[in-house]
Amino acid sequence: MDHLLAIRIFQRIVETRSFTKAAAHLDLPRSTVSKNLKELEAHLGTKLIQRTTRSVALTTEGAEYYRRISRLVAKLDETEGAIRDVGTAAKGRLRIDLHSSLANFVLMPVLQEFRERYPHIQLALGVGDRPVNLIEEGVDCAIRAGELADSSLIARTLYKDRLITCASPGYLKQYGVPKNLSDLKNGHKIVGYFSAATGEAWPLRFRSRGDDTQLVAFDIAANDSAALISILVQGMGIGQTHASVVSRFIESGELVPVLEDVTQRQFPVSIIYPPTKQLNARLRLFIDWMIDKFSDH
């Protein structure tokens, strides 16, 4: 048994939840995938995966084994990648995924600097608010706002962001500036956001006198974060978004912050990648550049 190959096969089965997809990712016959997993289970003396005709599920021992070996293999890949890249120019394709507002209003304005510094790296940007499976979809890294739901991913914090409640000057002239949450709930048009994956509405969040308040009802909503900002700029209502993505609109006067005293929620913006993703020269350079560029954002 090729022990390292068997471990990599086990990882891909877990991450893709499929023997067939694992075989395709590793460019191996499905029979080789099945054979290596059986040999690995025999070597360990325990069952790692429960297989049915429709799904795969980790056993308790399999979950523990996956947890322990994932970071070890990631370190091995990182070391091998660093040795291979010594003395060579970073080149090739780098796939990055990020929300549309972060892409359009945070990354795009500065991305040319990275392109000029590393002209041989081909960037493939996946832009949109649909959640992606980084491994299944071949994504090298993603930029995300908020706390991570998947603790198996590695996250490097780029900067701390905060929510901002805002509206256009034209809207505020017509409807007035809300002085408190009671004003907001009575007589104002609310711009909302709903999940592109589930359709669930995301509430506007406020904190007043130590109590959290959520406002779910809206008059118009979008499932794209950049479109939400356009709706606000066009004067259709009051909404909430990230301070980093509307800073240029605030500075230009196209949007005006309101209810700042009760809009206090902060959260990290991070670059994330799977622990099993080889940290090659392209990815290392992009991560280092992003951290340097946005550490004082």
Side-chain angles (χ1 to χ4, degrees):
M1 176 185 69
D2 184 332
H3 200 170
L4 184 56
L5 175 61
I7 288 173
R8 291 187 186 279
I9 286 173
F10 168 67
Q11 283 183 303
R12 285 305 165 95
I13 293 171
V14 174
E15 291 160 356
T16 63
R17 301 185 291 276
S18 165
F19 279 66
T20 302
K21 289 181 180 179
H25 273 263
L26 296 168
D27 196 22
L28 293 171
R30 192 183 187 284
S31 58
T32 300
V33 169
S34 298
K35 177 176 178 290
N36 274 266
L37 179 63
K38 289 179 181 177
E39 291 178 350
L40 181 61
E41 290 177 329
H43 171 73
L44 295 172
T46 187
K47 201 79 167 171
L48 298 175
I49 290 177
Q50 295 289 358
R51 301 178 282 282
T52 69
T53 55
R54 295 186 177 182
S55 65
V56 297
L58 282 172
T59 63
T60 301
E61 294 78 12
E64 179 64 16
Y65 188 65
Y66 175 77
R67 185 185 69 81
R68 287 174 179 263
I69 55 94
S70 289
R71 294 187 181 275
L72 293 175
V73 174
K75 280 293 183 184
L76 175 62
D77 287 341
E78 182 178 348
T79 301
E80 290 182 346
I83 296 300
R84 274 197 301 270
D85 295 329
V86 169
T88 64
K91 57 183 178 181
R93 183 176 186 269
L94 184 66
R95 169 70 192 278
I96 306 159
D97 190 88
L98 67 167
H99 289 170
S100 59
S101 58
L102 287 172
N104 285 287
F105 306 123
V106 177
L107 181 60
M108 298 296 190
V110 297
L111 192 58
Q112 182 60 19
E113 178 185 315
F114 182 85
R115 294 286 299 118
E116 291 174 353
R117 188 178 299 182
Y118 306 108
H120 300 296
I121 296 180
Q122 177 192 22
L123 297 178
L125 303 179
V127 179
D129 291 359
R130 178 185 65 87
V132 299
N133 184 306
L134 272 62
I135 295 174
E136 286 188 11
E137 300 186 37
V139 177
D140 291 290
C141 64
I143 301 170
R144 291 287 183 264
E147 301 295 337
L148 294 184
D150 188 346
S151 60
S152 68
L153 298 172
I154 297 174
R156 301 283 299 277
T157 299
L158 298 174
Y159 60 91
K160 292 288 186 180
D161 209 342
R162 64 183 177 86
L163 284 181
I164 188 167
T165 307
C166 56
S168 72
Y171 172 87
L172 295 175
K173 182 178 180 179
Q174 181 177 356
Y175 291 92
V177 178
K179 303 299 183 184
N180 50 50
L181 293 183
S182 179
D183 283 353
L184 180 65
K185 295 175 183 178
N186 297 285
H188 278 281
K189 306 296 184 183
I190 304 300
V191 178
Y193 177 88
F194 64 96
S195 168
T198 66
E200 178 184 2
W202 291 20
L204 277 66
R205 299 176 182 274
F206 302 95
R207 187 168 183 82
S208 177
R209 298 173 183 174
D211 295 326
D212 291 325
T213 301
Q214 297 186 1
L215 185 59
V216 180
F218 53 78
D219 296 277
I220 183 172
N223 66 354
D224 179 273
S225 51
L228 182 146
I229 294 169
S230 295
I231 292 171
L232 293 172
V233 171
Q234 293 303 317
M236 299 186 200
I238 293 178
Q240 241 174 34
T241 185
H242 303 168
S244 65
V245 302
V246 291
S247 60
R248 64 174 58 192
F249 299 100
I250 300 295
E251 291 170 4
S252 68
E254 293 173 89
L255 290 174
V256 178
V258 298
L259 300 172
E260 293 184 270
D261 57 330
V262 292
T263 311
Q264 302 172 357
R265 184 167 174 261
Q266 294 187 335
F267 49 87
V269 174
S270 308
I271 186 165
I272 62 175
Y273 57 93
T276 53
K277 189 71 182 179
Q278 181 172 315
L279 201 62
N280 54 42
R282 300 182 301 280
L283 185 52
R284 285 202 310 275
L285 288 171
F286 184 71
I287 290 173
D288 290 345
W289 178 79
M290 288 290 290
I291 291 174
D292 179 65
K293 194 68 181 175
F294 293 104
S295 59
D296 59 348
H297 193 69

